Amino acid sequence: MNIKPNNDKEVRKRLLAYYAIVLIVIFVLNWVVFPMIAYQKQVTSTYSDFLNALDDNKVVAVEIEDAQISYVVKEGERNLYFKTGVVDDPTLIEKLHEKDIPFGKAIPERPNIFLSFLMSYIFPIVLFMLMGRFLAKNFQKRMGGAGLNIGGQKVARVYKPEEGKKTFDDVAGQEEAKESLIEIIDFLKNPKKYEEIGAKCPKGVLLVGPPGTGKTLIAKAVAGEADVPFFAISGSEFVEMFVGRGAAKVRELFDQASKHAPCIVFIDEIDTIGKKRDGSMTSNDEREQTLNQLLTEMDGFESNKGVIILAATNRPEILDPALLRPGRFDRQVRMELPDLQGRIDILKVHLRGVKTDGNIDHHLIARMTAGVSGAEVANIVNEAALRAVRMNRDTVSTHDLEESIETVIAGQQKKNAILSDEEKRIVAYHEIGHALVAAKQKNAAPVQKITIIPRTSGALGYTMQVEEADTYLLTKEKLLQKIEVLCGGRAAEEVVFNQITTGASNDIERATQISRQMVTKYGMSERFNMMALETSQNRYLGGDSTLTCSSETSKLIDEEVLNIIKTSHENAKKSLEENIDKLHELSNYLLEKETITGDEFMQILNK
Ligand code: ADP
Ligand code: MG
Ligand code: ZN
């Protein structure tokens, strides 16, 4: 939607050229063309000339003023305009009477110098300038959108509803978020209703949630629903090389917005400018000024004026508290990762634009994508469509979606990777090890698929378990089960080949992560009871947590973690040793088939 700077320059260049041509045209008209069309000027003459003309009966009209006499002489077909001084000549009136020449205010309005200048220079210039403006605007529109300008630079993009209009229909799930926003849309549409009761609309609404949950999308949908001007800008666009420019942009933005009220201003990724101000050495003057300006502006206008500010962030905890106090972003709308039903809905929304074979198992696909964001679901649908094209089919099937989930999770199949037979055997046993340990557990998630086709991500094979439904609470037992399943691969290698390989590195990483969290976060160890040992930094972006304990305690944590993993490893081994026949049978079957489904697996297991 943005005009790139070089296009902006282009527009200005064209405009200059246009003005130059206009000026030339106007001068040519005035110097060459108009004088040729018998353009009369008033010529000064002597009084005797005037009398001579009178005597020759050439004068057709006279006007007598205090200090001058103007008269019109008829020369053939043309009227010539003259003026002369006033002479004390009492006979003049009589003479005029005699010849029956109209005098006094009888001369038709003669061309006035000022007026003619106005008409021949100023008026056309203004006219052409207006036209130029109009053309330039159209030109910009054609280029993809008008926006707010500051010093020739875009401050905000204006979403125009016609182009790719989004509505709440395009946003699946997120009902709570929609509810909060519907109120705002309603306020923009019928402010009276709220005024009458004395209710004030919130000035700012902060959309908070992990990446890809549809924050930007829902903001666009609000614009589509509200049908008011919508100024969108990203936080990073305020950050400039020069101190003060960002603040100026904020000022300009609010200036423009209040002129277009009622309207919506949307600041995406507000954390770039809204970071907590602190006295640290790395503090950034420019950013602080910009934030201060934003705070001031938000206080500066009345909410009833009808400017509502939406902002989105996935790091609410680093926002400056001043930004969150009542009167600024006093309302937070949470956008969470979709649950099972949410994913089904998102899948349906995105499948609307895709030709399917009419036989899509939404429920299965949604179950396979637990913990995945809306953006990833959208991506999976697209991958499936691409796959269908690759396979020369004209509809998308459930199988395409399943495959694309694997592609998104594990990467493309690496068809030409050459594994030796021995390696293949190890991978097969490794994967069946995972699956068998899982199958022997109580209430464990059923196995969906096992494959030993290598993936571009580096995985040589994998076992996919799919939960029946989303779980919100994980029991300690369940977590231990997970660790055990992760240990199952390595355990199978040990039990069968009596050797270990590097193939378990990812399993090891994940098992360690889970057991560490059990100890430090979930209070699931005897030793530390309910003591929190680490704090997480940003809950929506996953990742960094810091230990909040002494180094002695940290040592003890490591011991605890190790204990959990060791026990699980032992259990996995035991489980496989007890079912060693099935392990061999299933592994050989997988080796032959390369990919087997959960059903096949269960059939052989229960034979
Ligand atoms: P965010 O701004 O929260 O990081 P976006 O709004 O940019 O996420 O979402 C990216 C894409 O993911 C959207 O364009 C849309 O295609 C898809 N998406 C995310 N959430 C949803 C949802 N609830 N319904 C439909 N599509 C969604
Ligand atoms: Mg976004
Ligand atoms: Zn493994």
Side-chain angles (χ1 to χ4, degrees), residues 188 228-229 231 255-264 304-307:
L188 288 169
V228 295
F231 301 105
D255 231 40
Q256 293 285 339
S258 57
K259 273 183 206 148
H260 288 89
C263 71
I264 295 174
N304 285 349
K305 241 174 142 185
V307 179

Side-chain angles (χ1 to χ4, degrees), residues 170-172 174 210-217 346 349-350 374-375 378:
D170 296 309
V171 188
Q174 308 290 6
T213 44
K215 297 182 295 297
T216 309
L217 178 70
I346 295 172
V349 164
H350 287 281

Side-chain angles (χ1 to χ4, degrees), residues 166 168-174 178 207-220 266 268-269 312-314 335-336 338 342 345-347 349-350 373-379:
K166 294 262 185 286
F168 277 176
D169 267 355
D170 296 309
V171 188
Q174 308 290 6
K178 282 186 199 167
L207 301 164
V208 176
T213 44
K215 297 182 295 297
T216 309
L217 178 70
I218 209 169
K220 285 182 192 168
F266 175 53
D268 209 353
E269 313 291 349
T313 179
N314 34 40
M335 309 276 291
E336 295 296 345
D345 293 340
I346 295 172
L347 200 58
V349 164
H350 287 281
S373 73
E376 279 165 307
V377 174
N379 187 21

Side-chain angles (χ1 to χ4, degrees), residues 17-64:
Y18 172 79
Y19 284 142
I21 291 172
V22 164
L23 278 180
I24 291 170
V25 166
I26 289 170
F27 278 109
V28 166
L29 276 180
N30 279 304
W31 284 342
V32 185
V33 182
F34 288 164
M36 278 163 53
I37 319 169
Y39 176 68
Q40 301 99 347
K41 279 213 174 81
Q42 204 172 27
V43 180
T44 312
S45 71
T46 60
Y47 194 74
S48 49
D49 281 345
F50 172 49
L51 290 181
N52 287 341
L54 260 184
D55 289 339
D56 292 351
N57 288 328
K58 279 184 181 162
V59 174
V60 290
V62 174
E63 182 183 323
I64 300 165

Side-chain angles (χ1 to χ4, degrees), residues 85 326 357:
D357 61 2

Side-chain angles (χ1 to χ4, degrees), residues 460-476:
L460 297 177
Y462 62 87
T463 305
M464 189 185 230
Q465 274 179 285
V466 176
E467 299 276 353
E468 284 298 341
D470 281 9
T471 41
Y472 300 97
L473 280 177
L474 286 168
T475 58
K476 181 176 177 182

